[in-house]
């Protein structure tokens, strides 16, 4: 009896010493405020756009769907614009499309970067030199300017959400490539890689079993950075009138609103809601990025 | 400083410019779009000349711009004229050359950029250093740290929010244009004040939109520096707080920021261009978006190349000047 009680308390104290993974994560999140706020904001945005996409009539986000130029009110929560788009629907579909471009372009850019960085660092020699050389020459050229040329030479009808993402990717792989290369180079010299090599693990095995898992935090951080950059770039292209003009992409809406002199006509809700939406998207990504930085670079934590 | 290294950086600069020029030359020629034909087809719809005339006009235009030559010859011609700083002629404002149009717009853009870039660099780095410095009072550190959050707000969105809250709601400042409508540009104090007033919101947008990045990176640097031996040594020597902050902490943490400055220039210029467009200011950005709207292709390429060359040159310049700031780094390696 006493014995059992004793072992129970011991088990309990063991639990106290080693809380479950979830509590550990929650505890960490309480300390890392920017990561927490960023993730919460992101979850809110995902919920807003997915629930919205499932419940509203998406046609209301396109021109001539509803009464035009209505101020925000009971009938139209966010008002309607000059072209007869319901701004609530625009916000839902626009957030979705903006995120789609960001995730597609950011994901693809990171993937290309990881592959090229690996190839450069692992094989070295001429391959390494040429990949690095090309990346370094392309870095000083502002990507947006080249993107403007590409988007400008496309036929307006050819510009869709997917071409937008593609245009952004073309000049978005250099950063991840350089970062991944330097990370792989330092990983290659670690002892566990040497041990694996000595025990006869092949190149593929070392890459996928030893190096890749350890690089995962860097890949995630790069992915978030690239999504941020992609949303940023596609927004700038759209504000210059180079986006898929028909789509309710948030940047497009701002472009249309500024072109119609929305502020001079008093239709403030037309550019402001998309602007706030973009601030929330970019803000959540920036916060997550800062949080991840803190996670991987504990020195920053000391200043808190 | 070794001449070999300077030479190597200059060769790099030339490579960058050549690659940019090549991209700008070939991308439009891969596409099926023909800007000359598009432009005159649009004119034909409104102006009313016969389709036969249209073909003649397009043919003569192609000869004038050298578009009927073989591609490689066009390319060498293009590189040749680029070397003479000849960026071609505007189609939309015909007799004017691209360089003339750029030179007309440039002072506005440089004026805006120069002031905002320097202010945001100084403000951002001071705030970042305060956020990292352990002896900063708590309230000040909290304010400084909160500026990091601005990172998520690009200058253009900041501009829109400023337009809304300060220009539109509070009606404090003009929200568009370079000067009041109907005012004749002249060199008087009244006119200059008017211009200045119109520049406040765009400048604030650029400063607030770019300061967050500086605060973040400076805080990161500062945290690393404060643990360095020479800072500890200065403390133990009994130096005053402000002396340590200025001479040991700030000065060393600043160094990587200067390199970051060169890298950030590209983003800043691009942001300034879009901010100009939002605020309807004259400048390279407005010229660019106007040219995009009417597909004035030589002007678009000219502006893109001009900005690329300017940024790449500034980056190399900063690299070359870096050893003056940090004597430990020489150009030998």
């Amino acid at each position: 009896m006493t014995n059992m009680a004793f072992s129970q308390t011991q088990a309990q104290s063991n639990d106290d010493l080693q809380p479950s993974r979830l509590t550990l994560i929650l505890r960490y999140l309480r300390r890392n405020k920017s990561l927490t706020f960023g993730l919460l904001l992101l979850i809110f945005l995902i919920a807003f756009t997915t629930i919205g996409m499932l419940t509203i009539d998406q046609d209301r986000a396109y021109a001539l769907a509803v009464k035009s130029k209505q101020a925000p009110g009971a009938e139209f929560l966010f008002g309607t614009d000059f072209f007869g788009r319901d701004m609530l629907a625009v916000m839902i579909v626009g957030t979705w499309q903006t995120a789609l471009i960001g995730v597609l372009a950011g994901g693809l850019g990171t993937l290309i970067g990881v592959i090229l960085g690996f190839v450069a660092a692992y094989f070295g020699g001429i391959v390494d030199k040429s990949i690095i050389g090309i990346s370094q020459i392309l870095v000083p050229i502002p990507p947006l300017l080249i993107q403007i040329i590409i988007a400008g030479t496309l036929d307006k009808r050819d510009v869709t959400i997917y071409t937008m993402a593609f245009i952004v990717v073309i000049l978005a792989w250099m950063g991840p490539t350089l970062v991944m290369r330097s990370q792989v180079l330092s990983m290659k010299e670690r002892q566990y890689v040497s041990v694996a090599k000595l025990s006869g693990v092949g190149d593929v095995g070392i890459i996928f079993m030893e190096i890749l898992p350890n690089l995962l935090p860097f890949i995630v951080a790069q992915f978030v950075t690239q999504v941020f950059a992609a949303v940023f770039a596609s927004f700038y292209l759209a504000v210059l009138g180079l986006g898929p003009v028909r789509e309710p992409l948030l940047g497009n809406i701002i472009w249309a609103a500024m072109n119609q002199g929305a502020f001079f006509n008093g239709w403030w809700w037309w550019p402001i809601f998309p602007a706030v939406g973009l601030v929330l998207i970019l803000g959540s990504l920036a916060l997550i990025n800062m949080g991840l930085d803190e996670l991987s670079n504990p020195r920053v934590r000391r200043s808190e | 400083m070794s001449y070999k290294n300077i030479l190597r950086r200059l060769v790099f600069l030339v490579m960058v410019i050549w690659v940019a020029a090549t991209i700008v030359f070939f991308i439009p020629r891969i596409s099926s779009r023909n800007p000359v034909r598009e432009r005159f087809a649009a004119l034909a719809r409104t102006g009313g000349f016969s389709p036969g005339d249209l073909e003649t006009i397009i043919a003569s235009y192609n000869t004038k711009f050298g578009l009927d030559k073989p591609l490689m010859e066009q390319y060498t011609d293009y590189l040749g004229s680029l070397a003479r700083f000849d960026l071609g002629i505007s189609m939309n404002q015909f007799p004017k050359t691209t360089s003339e149009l750029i030179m007309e717009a440039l002072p506005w853009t440089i004026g805006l950029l120069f002031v905002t870039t320097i202010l945001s660099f100084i403000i951002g780095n001071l705030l970042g250093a305060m956020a990292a410095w352990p002896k900063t009072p708590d309230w000040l550190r909290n304010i400084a740290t909160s500026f990091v959050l601005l990172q998520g707000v690009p200058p253009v969105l900041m501009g829109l929010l400023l337009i809304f809250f300060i220009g539109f709601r509070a009606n404090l400042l003009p929200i568009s244009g370079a000067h009041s409508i109907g005012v004749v540009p002249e060199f008087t104090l009244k006119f200059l004040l008017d211009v200045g007033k119109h520049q406040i919101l765009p400048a604030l947008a650029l400063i607030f939109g770019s300061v967050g990045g500086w605060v973040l990176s400076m805080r990161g640097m500062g945290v690393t520096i404060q643990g360095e031996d020479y800072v500890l040594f200065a403390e133990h020597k009994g130096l005053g707080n402000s002396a340590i902050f200025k001479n040991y902490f700030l000065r060393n943490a600043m160094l990587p920021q200067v390199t970051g400055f060169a890298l950030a220039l590209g983003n800043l210029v691009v942001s300034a261009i879009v901010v100009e467009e939002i605020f309807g200011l004259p400048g390279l950005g407005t010229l660019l978006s106007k040219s995009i709207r009417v597909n004035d292709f030589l002007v678009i390429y000219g502006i893109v190349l001009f900005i690329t060359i300017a940024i790449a040159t500034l980056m190399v310049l900063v690299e070359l000047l870096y050893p003056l700031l940090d004597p430990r780094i020489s150009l030998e390696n």
Side-chain angles (χ1 to χ4, degrees):
Chain A
M1 194 65 189
T2 42
N3 220 344
M4 241 178 79
F6 175 73
S7 67
Q8 244 175 11
T9 46
Q10 199 177 32
Q12 253 171 14
S13 68
N14 257 346
D15 270 355
D16 284 346
L17 282 175
Q18 247 169 6
S20 74
R21 235 188 139 88
L22 186 71
T23 16
L24 272 179
I25 292 173
L26 285 177
R27 245 184 233 171
Y28 179 72
L29 282 178
R30 208 165 61 191
R31 259 187 303 142
N32 194 336
K33 288 195 196 74
S34 44
L35 190 60
T36 315
F37 280 126
L39 286 174
L40 284 178
L41 201 54
L42 192 68
I43 291 168
F44 164 75
L45 285 167
I46 293 172
F48 170 74
T49 175
T50 41
I51 294 172
M53 290 289 275
L54 292 173
T55 49
I56 57 136
D57 177 11
Q58 285 173 31
D59 285 341
R60 287 164 75 93
Y62 292 86
L64 303 177
V66 289
K67 252 190 293 180
S68 66
K69 297 179 275 186
Q70 299 296 306
E75 197 185 347
F76 301 105
L77 194 57
F78 289 168
T80 68
D81 76 357
F82 179 78
F83 299 110
R85 290 179 281 213
D86 180 0
M87 286 305 288
L88 178 62
V90 162
M91 288 301 291
I92 289 166
V93 180
T95 305
W96 178 263
Q97 292 181 341
T98 306
L100 188 66
I101 291 183
V103 170
L104 268 181
L108 216 57
T110 313
L111 186 70
I112 298 172
V114 169
I115 293 173
L116 285 180
F118 255 102
V119 169
Y122 208 82
F123 295 104
I126 276 273
V127 186
D128 186 26
K129 280 219 176 80
S130 44
I131 290 178
I132 290 308
I134 293 171
S135 308
Q136 277 175 343
I137 285 179
L138 286 177
V139 163
I141 304 174
L144 187 89
L145 296 174
I146 305 299
Q147 285 157 358
I148 285 174
I149 299 260
I150 301 173
T153 47
L154 285 176
D155 200 316
K156 271 276 179 291
R157 279 158 297 179
D158 290 343
V159 181
T160 63
I161 301 291
Y162 298 101
T163 35
M164 274 296 259
F166 182 70
I167 292 169
V168 172
V169 165
I170 295 177
L171 287 152
W173 50 269
M174 291 89 72
T177 302
L178 292 174
V179 171
M180 288 331 284
R181 175 182 168 272
S182 64
Q183 286 302 332
V184 175
L185 275 182
S186 83
M187 292 261 166
K188 237 172 71 173
E189 305 305 318
R190 302 279 165 87
Q191 286 187 339
Y192 54 80
V193 176
S194 313
V195 169
K197 249 184 206 161
L198 285 175
S199 29
V201 183
D203 277 356
V204 179
I206 289 179
I207 289 175
F208 285 100
M209 305 302 294
E210 306 291 336
I211 296 182
L212 207 55
N214 286 301
L215 277 180
L216 217 56
F218 294 100
I219 297 177
V220 173
Q222 272 301 308
F223 175 66
V224 178
T225 314
Q226 289 307 310
V227 174
F228 182 91
V231 171
F232 203 109
S234 65
F235 163 57
Y236 273 14
L237 283 177
V239 165
L240 287 171
L242 291 167
V245 187
R246 216 181 73 85
E247 299 291 337
L249 197 66
L250 294 180
N252 275 348
I253 302 290
I254 293 174
W255 170 69
M258 295 317 280
N259 260 356
Q260 298 295 330
F263 284 111
F264 292 107
N265 290 308
W267 312 319
W268 56 267
W269 56 90
W270 189 9
I272 284 304
F273 287 128
V276 171
L278 275 163
V279 168
L280 292 182
I281 296 175
L282 290 172
S284 78
L285 291 171
L287 282 171
I288 292 175
N289 214 350
M290 271 156 56
L292 288 176
D293 209 33
E294 233 169 86
L295 188 71
S296 58
N297 181 12
R299 268 186 144 171
V300 180
R301 250 179 263 158
R302 285 203 319 209
S303 71
E304 299 294 322
Chain B
M1 264 202 212
S2 91
Y3 290 105
K4 208 175 136 202
N5 270 292
I6 295 175
L7 199 69
R8 215 181 60 206
R9 293 224 156 82
L10 290 179
V11 170
F12 176 74
L13 177 61
V14 172
M15 288 275 280
V16 171
I17 294 171
W18 172 67
V19 167
T22 307
I23 294 174
V24 168
F25 178 82
F26 279 106
I27 287 173
R29 282 164 178 82
I30 298 170
S31 100
S32 56
R33 219 170 152 188
N34 183 337
V36 178
R37 181 174 294 276
E38 256 176 47
R39 172 127 189 90
F40 285 103
L43 275 182
R45 274 200 294 279
T46 52
F49 38 85
S50 71
D53 289 346
L54 180 65
E55 293 305 321
T56 329
I57 295 174
I58 290 174
S60 72
Y61 241 83
N62 283 344
T63 322
K64 170 120 182 72
F65 283 99
L67 294 171
D68 51 350
K69 291 184 196 162
L71 197 60
M72 276 336 270
E73 205 182 321
Q74 278 187 48
Y75 180 58
T76 44
D77 280 358
Y78 161 80
L79 288 183
S81 55
L82 196 64
R84 296 190 302 272
F85 300 107
D86 175 8
L87 295 169
I89 302 165
S90 161
M91 261 196 355
N92 193 42
Q93 309 180 38
F94 174 65
K96 282 200 173 170
T97 63
T98 304
S99 315
E100 274 169 18
L101 287 174
I102 290 178
M103 284 309 150
E104 274 170 26
L106 195 60
W108 292 100
T109 306
I110 288 192
L112 183 62
L113 258 175
F114 189 72
V115 176
T116 53
T117 310
I118 290 179
L119 275 180
S120 106
F121 185 76
I122 295 173
I123 297 172
N125 280 314
L126 271 180
L127 286 174
M130 283 179 198
W133 184 238
K135 290 180 188 86
T136 316
D138 276 346
W139 61 271
L140 192 59
R141 183 178 321 153
N142 287 337
I143 293 174
T145 311
S146 64
F147 270 82
V148 172
L149 294 177
L150 287 178
Q151 231 215 138
V153 191
V156 180
L157 290 174
M158 187 55 83
L160 278 172
L161 298 177
L162 286 173
I163 289 178
F164 178 60
F165 286 112
I166 296 179
F168 183 77
R169 271 284 151 93
N171 208 0
L172 287 176
L173 286 165
I175 60 174
S176 177
H179 48 75
S180 304
I181 299 161
V183 176
V184 187
E186 52 192 354
F187 210 75
T188 60
L189 188 65
K190 196 167 156 243
F191 177 72
L192 288 179
L193 279 177
D194 189 43
V195 170
K197 218 168 116 189
H198 281 77
Q199 297 278 347
I200 294 177
L201 280 189
L204 283 180
L206 278 171
I207 293 173
F208 280 120
S210 58
V211 85
W214 295 126
V215 177
L216 183 70
S217 53
M218 186 63 176
R219 190 185 65 160
M221 260 331 286
V223 170
T224 315
I225 297 276
Q226 60 164 285
E228 293 284 348
D229 290 343
Y230 50 79
V231 176
L232 275 179
F233 179 62
E235 255 169 55
H236 288 207
K237 253 190 330 194
L239 281 182
N241 255 333
S242 66
I244 300 176
F245 182 77
K246 264 193 311 214
N247 302 336
Y248 292 78
F249 182 69
L250 196 58
R251 202 169 159 209
N252 283 295
M254 281 294 283
L255 289 171
Q257 294 295 87
V258 176
T259 320
F261 182 74
L263 281 171
L265 260 177
N267 284 332
L268 276 169
V269 173
V270 164
S271 287
I273 280 176
V274 190
V275 164
E276 273 178 3
E277 158 76 359
I278 291 280
F279 281 92
L281 295 173
L284 282 182
T286 309
L287 180 62
L288 181 65
S289 68
K290 217 192 278 167
S291 308
I292 290 172
R293 214 165 294 151
V294 297
N295 203 10
D296 195 349
F297 64 108
L298 283 178
V299 178
I300 303 178
Y301 308 161
I303 296 173
V304 167
L305 264 181
F306 177 80
I307 296 174
T308 308
I309 293 172
I311 290 172
T313 312
L314 278 172
M315 275 172 89
V316 171
L317 214 65
V318 169
E319 256 182 37
L320 287 177
L321 291 177
Y322 198 71
L324 296 182
L325 292 174
D326 187 358
R328 285 170 303 182
I329 293 180
S330 70
L331 282 173
E332 300 304 322
N333 299 309

